[in-house]
Amino acid sequence: GGRVAGAGAAEARADDELSAEELAERYPASGETAHRALAALNTEVINVELVTQLVLWLAACDGPEQLTQWARQRQEWAQQRTLCKLAPSSAGGALPPPPPPPPPP
């Protein structure tokens, strides 16, 4: 976690070393849910690269309609993939899955 310079003991410690109460003091603009989530967070298991890519992708979206459209396409793709695995082919096996959906813009 990030360290914050300051005179107090909590200010010199990383976020992942603080209690929810100490996080509330550090981040007063955030709500109680955020403080509890940060206090429970195991920073060693976070894929920072993935989170960064997700935030950049969300920032590049034109709005919630684009996200909704992507989610619907993804859901349809997943349903088709499931159906393909269940449907027998002429050779007696499952049909190959459809190609993956296009990447988001």
Side-chain angles (χ1 to χ4, degrees):
R3 296 198 180 274
V4 177
E11 291 176 355
R13 293 177 14 225
D15 286 353
D16 58 354
E17 298 172 354
L18 301 179
S19 68
E21 294 77 20
E22 292 168 319
L23 289 162
E25 291 176 18
R26 182 173 285 178
Y27 304 107
S30 298
E32 180 183 346
T33 303
H35 302 142
R36 285 194 318 247
L38 286 170
L41 188 64
N42 180 350
T43 57
E44 294 181 18
V45 298
I46 295 176
N47 183 335
V48 176
E49 182 64 29
L50 179 60
V51 172
T52 302
Q53 289 176 10
L54 176 61
V55 170
L56 291 172
W57 182 73
L58 289 170
C61 285
D62 291 331
E65 298 82 17
Q66 186 176 9
L67 295 173
T68 301
Q69 179 183 7
W70 176 85
R72 282 190 188 127
Q73 289 173 344
R74 177 79 177 145
Q75 186 176 29
E76 290 171 6
W77 175 77
Q79 288 172 346
Q80 289 173 357
R81 185 173 172 194
T82 300
L83 290 175
C84 286
K85 286 182 179 179
L86 298 176
S89 71
S90 60
L95 295 172

